[in-house]
Amino acid sequence: MKKKLRIGILLDSCILPAWCFKMLEEINSNPGSEIILIVKSIPEKKKEISLLSRMLAKRDSFLYYLFNKIENKLVKLIPDAFELKDISSILSANTIKTLEVNPIRTKFSDKISEIDLKEIEKYNIDIFIRMGFRILRGDILKTAKYGVWSYHHGDNKVNRGGPAGFWEVFQNKPETGVVLQILSEAVDGGKILLKSFSSTHKSSPIRNRNNYYWKACSFLPQKIQELYDLGEDLFFKKVEELNRYPQFYSKRLYRIPSNREMVLLSSRLFLKILKNRIVDFFYFYQWVLLFRLSSSNSISKIFFQFKKIIPPKDRFWADPHILRRNDKYYIFIEELIYSSNKGHISLIVMDDTGSYTEPVKVLERDYHLSYPFLIEDHGELYMIPETSQNRTIELYKCTSFPLEWELEKILMSNICAVDSTILFKENKYWLFANIARNIGASNSDELFLFSSNHLISNNWVPHPDNPIISNVSQARPAGNFFTYKENLYRPSQNGSRRYGHGMRINQVKELNETNYREEIVDSIFPDWDRSLRSTHTINSVGKLTVIDAEMKRRKFI
């Protein structure tokens, strides 16, 4: 039987944020690892400092700390990644030993003494997880067989240093990165194990952090289990491939902003929020449909030629999926009426001249429905609408075309999955869906892949590389796969600037039970029409291509 990986935890206290608590729970439940040792830093003895002295020490960055206090009071996070929890219950097993150390401290870093290192070495730790201490220096970085694993909550190509999630908001960066790395002496420059990107919150650093901290807490347990499953050679072969290029960093080391910086940054942010509020008073954004009938059976690629189908102002239409039957195009869409704030599936019928009917409701549930993915199998027509609000992936069968649908099977339960898209390839069904692994994380960031020998099945096998994409600019499905010049393409959403801002076209390079690889070959943004700001679904059947777009409309005219 394969030996479990021996895990050590480096921490300052057993009182840690909720995201750390969740991460340790996952590590504890991993079949391939066990926590053996806690290395706890003995708190440094500090002189009693008066409130006035503390304020004077922070006087150059007083406005930053004031901003944080105000934001923490005003913003309620549910769930809160930073709520403090006692991890003692997780680490209470008799097999877990605790070793207290008194690190050698410099201004910014900690170094473990030779005496403590010799004691630590007795435990033969495979992986140390850094959940405390400051910047680690010295031989502690080499004591564990596979090093010290740690998060950098930022993109190490864009902003090394900190504060986490702050500069991305105030500098209007569309994405916020997070890196899991094996620490080295270089600050935030260690060997990368996993890199991921989330959409940056437009105005709140704490909301920005909350989203991607919840997402990232599963990265470390995932990679530990992957090392156990693959073995050292194959795992680190993949790691070396991820680190095949030199990592240069030419920007400054980011630090807590000064009062002067805070005034400038806050002023810009305030003006941006004020401008958006004024625009929102006079205008609203509504998802509409756009279509083009071409002269040949191929996907249309020039979007200024598309015609709009605009709904009434009390609703939106989005997520078009198409079927061709009886010389007509059947366009299934999400229809959401604002007053109910709950989507249902409706149908528009279009002929070869582009004339179309008003939408007719065909499927409604007590929970939200959207993204009506269609698939034909063994002479039957099925639909997989998004049902993440019900925490399911549901398969519906068309019992009387095109208006009557009945639930055929729940393919997966207890899962927060969106935009499920199935590809039938080489006698196997491949199900792609974006999943939020943790409550509090976005469901736009991570793409998961499952396979089955049958469509009507509850035995969907997760791909060993899951999540196969962890990037808000590329992960989430944006419609059915399509073939162009014998190559297979997967359209995906680019939600880095805002939800559904644009689309990527990804060529599928490799798809099998052990590997998935795709390459971005093109991007689609709503730049052909100034009234549009987002587009996030594209489907094409026969001569018809339909997309959706978010359109700016006046409220009062």
Side-chain angles (χ1 to χ4, degrees), residues 207-220:
R207 290 191 189 278
N208 194 40
R209 285 193 295 272
N210 197 62
N211 169 43
Y212 77 95
Y213 271 68
W214 275 127
K215 176 183 71 172
C217 77
S218 291
F219 293 171
L220 210 151

Side-chain angles (χ1 to χ4, degrees), residues 21 23 30 47 64 98 101 135 144 195 197 204 212-213 231 234-235 290 398 405 419 426 468 547 550:
F21 188 93
M23 183 182 72
N30 268 358
K47 296 179 181 178
Y64 167 77
T98 299
V101 301
I135 297 171
K195 197 169 189 176
F197 298 91
S204 171
Y212 77 95
Y213 271 68
L234 184 53
F235 178 84
L290 298 93
C398 186
W405 300 79
D419 299 350
E426 296 175 357
I468 56 172
I547 66 172
E550 197 178 22

Side-chain angles (χ1 to χ4, degrees), residues 363-554:
L363 185 61
E364 185 174 28
R365 288 292 180 264
D366 294 336
Y367 39 89
H368 176 80
L369 302 179
S370 60
Y371 196 84
F373 175 79
L374 302 168
I375 183 168
E376 294 187 81
D377 188 61
H378 293 97
E380 301 287 354
L381 176 62
Y382 298 93
M383 179 193 296
I384 306 177
E386 180 201 309
T387 53
S388 62
Q389 196 175 82
N390 198 42
R391 295 189 60 80
T392 53
I393 298 178
E394 299 175 1
L395 180 72
Y396 288 82
K397 181 179 178 180
C398 186
T399 55
S400 179
F401 184 80
L403 300 178
E404 295 181 15
W405 300 79
E406 292 182 0
L407 179 64
E408 178 74 14
K409 191 170 187 62
I410 295 177
L411 303 182
M412 298 187 203
S413 299
N414 195 29
I415 187 170
C416 185
V418 297
D419 299 350
S420 296
T421 303
I422 291 181
L423 172 69
F424 182 69
K425 187 174 186 289
E426 296 175 357
N427 295 317
K428 192 173 285 288
Y429 298 86
W430 303 91
L431 190 156
F432 296 74
N434 258 51
I435 296 173
R437 286 186 274 184
N438 302 305
I439 299 172
S442 169
N443 56 19
S444 292
D445 292 2
E446 295 195 311
L447 179 66
F448 286 73
L449 176 58
F450 305 85
S451 62
S452 173
N453 293 325
H454 306 282
L455 175 63
I456 305 173
S457 170
N458 54 10
N459 183 29
W460 290 86
V461 179
H463 197 276
D465 280 347
N466 277 339
I468 56 172
I469 305 289
S470 188
N471 188 334
V472 71
S473 73
Q474 186 185 351
R476 188 166 175 167
N480 211 339
F481 287 75
F482 66 91
T483 301
Y484 181 74
K485 293 186 178 180
E486 299 183 354
N487 291 316
L488 181 65
Y489 294 90
R490 185 184 75 88
S492 66
Q493 295 185 34
N494 181 347
S496 59
R497 188 164 297 279
R498 64 179 61 88
Y499 167 71
H501 173 53
M503 290 182 276
R504 303 277 201 194
I505 304 300
N506 311 284
Q507 184 179 349
V508 177
K509 294 287 193 176
E510 187 175 12
L511 171 59
N512 54 53
E513 292 174 339
T514 56
N515 293 300
Y516 178 80
R517 186 167 55 91
E518 66 181 32
E519 179 183 327
I520 299 170
V521 297
D522 211 341
S523 294
I524 300 168
F525 293 105
D527 297 336
W528 67 91
D529 186 330
R530 293 181 63 183
S531 70
L532 306 180
R533 72 167 185 175
S534 302
T535 178
H536 74 359
T537 309
I538 181 168
N539 276 298
S540 182
V541 171
K543 297 178 180 180
L544 176 66
T545 302
V546 186
I547 66 172
D548 57 10
E550 197 178 22
M551 179 180 173
K552 184 178 179 181
R553 297 188 67 185
R554 290 182 180 272

Side-chain angles (χ1 to χ4, degrees), residues 103-169:
I104 302 164
R105 295 179 171 96
T106 60
K107 187 174 182 181
F108 298 111
S109 64
D110 293 333
K111 187 176 181 180
I112 308 299
S113 70
E114 291 295 327
I115 295 173
D116 288 332
L117 281 172
K118 286 180 180 178
E119 188 64 27
I120 291 169
E121 286 170 355
K122 295 177 183 178
Y123 292 89
N124 297 316
I125 299 300
D126 291 311
I127 299 167
F128 265 124
I129 298 170
R130 177 182 169 271
M131 301 177 71
F133 292 79
R134 297 176 301 161
I135 297 171
L136 284 171
R137 302 290 190 192
D139 286 344
I140 187 62
L141 299 174
K142 305 172 187 174
T143 302
K145 183 178 181 180
Y146 303 118
V148 178
W149 294 14
S150 177
Y151 288 100
H152 170 55
H153 287 96
D155 180 357
N156 63 349
K157 291 287 290 179
V158 174
N159 56 345
R160 298 188 183 184
F166 173 86
W167 290 101
E168 293 90 342
V169 173

Side-chain angles (χ1 to χ4, degrees), residues 305-327:
Q305 298 174 338
F306 280 52
K307 297 178 181 179
K308 294 189 180 83
I309 303 176
I310 300 176
K313 289 185 176 182
D314 67 341
R315 67 195 64 200
F316 73 65
W317 297 335
D319 295 348
H321 285 72
I322 316 167
L323 183 75
R324 171 81 169 170
R325 275 195 185 179
N326 307 322
D327 296 325

Side-chain angles (χ1 to χ4, degrees), residues 187-202:
V187 177
D188 297 328
K191 188 169 288 186
I192 295 169
L193 294 166
L194 191 152
K195 197 169 189 176
S196 179
F197 298 91
S198 299
S199 179
T200 301
H201 195 279
K202 300 309 174 195

